[in-house]
Amino acid sequence: MNDDTTRGIRIRPGELSDAPAVLGMLDRAVAWMNARGNTEQWGTTPYSQKPGGVARVERYLTENDPHIAELDGVPVGTLVLGTGPNPQVSIPLADEDERFVRLLVSDRRHAGRGVGAALLAHAVAETRRAGVALLRVDCWAGGGGELVAYYERNGFTPTVPFLAGSWPGQVLAMRLD
């Protein structure tokens, strides 16, 4: 468990019962992106209504290492760590142990509170605690690269670009040794 006292954010382990909160965050993220003209990153269908969306979130919460950020006991962000990239995406495997950010989403109703940055700092701490020196993430590289720049501001360095169909992606890495 982690408390980010500068922001009042508490980070706790996630569990299957968090699925409705995580789906709500994802649905609000899709609506927020769409309202700003971004229909390419996650499409236009609310995540909870996408075929396989609910099952994917349930797998994130049971088959990986999920973490929930809370403000005053209310979930406001989700981080899911795995031991490598999603096997359904054509991302080269690392040649060493790694932790991989499989999902990072913050509740748009709490934008600007540093929830995402606190969760990424937690990912760094968890990766170090595991004795692993490499933390990676992949993200959408379209839309002028704003999401790539976000991860760069949080200490990641772009490594491998990739395409998932016509969806442009970018892998970023952070060395912790």
Side-chain angles (χ1 to χ4, degrees):
M1 201 161 326
N2 180 36
D3 282 319
D4 185 326
T5 56
T6 62
R7 297 182 188 100
I9 297 168
R10 175 182 173 260
I11 300 174
R12 62 165 175 81
E15 53 192 37
L16 185 56
S17 64
D18 291 310
V22 174
L23 285 163
M25 288 178 224
L26 289 165
D27 286 352
R28 284 185 289 281
V30 170
W32 178 81
M33 285 185 259
N34 288 182
R36 282 151 185 76
N38 177 351
T39 59
E40 299 170 32
Q41 184 176 347
W42 284 356
T44 57
T45 303
Y47 203 90
S48 62
Q49 296 175 22
K50 290 182 183 207
V54 172
R56 176 178 283 182
V57 166
E58 290 173 348
R59 281 193 311 276
Y60 279 151
L61 295 170
T62 58
E63 298 175 7
N64 294 279
D65 184 16
H67 303 269
I68 303 293
E70 294 180 332
L71 282 168
D72 299 321
V74 176
V76 295
T78 305
L79 163 75
V80 176
L81 290 172
T83 56
N86 181 337
Q88 298 173 342
V89 181
S90 59
I91 295 173
L93 297 174
D95 58 0
E96 64 183 287
D97 286 346
E98 70 175 318
R99 291 298 178 269
F100 205 99
V101 176
R102 292 275 188 97
L103 176 67
L104 177 70
V105 64
S106 59
D107 193 320
R108 299 310 312 160
R109 296 176 298 186
H110 299 278
R113 300 279 307 263
V115 174
L119 284 165
L120 287 173
H122 187 73
V124 168
E126 289 295 305
T127 302
R128 282 192 171 119
R129 189 175 356 271
V132 175
L134 178 63
L135 177 62
R136 293 197 304 162
V137 63
D138 71 275
C139 69
W140 185 59
E146 293 94 351
L147 192 52
V148 172
Y150 172 81
Y151 283 109
E152 288 179 301
R153 286 191 307 274
N154 281 278
F156 288 85
T157 301
T159 58
V160 181
F162 66 94
L163 281 176
S166 62
W167 192 89
Q170 176 68 56
V171 178
L172 298 98
M174 181 187 297
R175 298 289 322 168
L176 303 176
D177 49 4

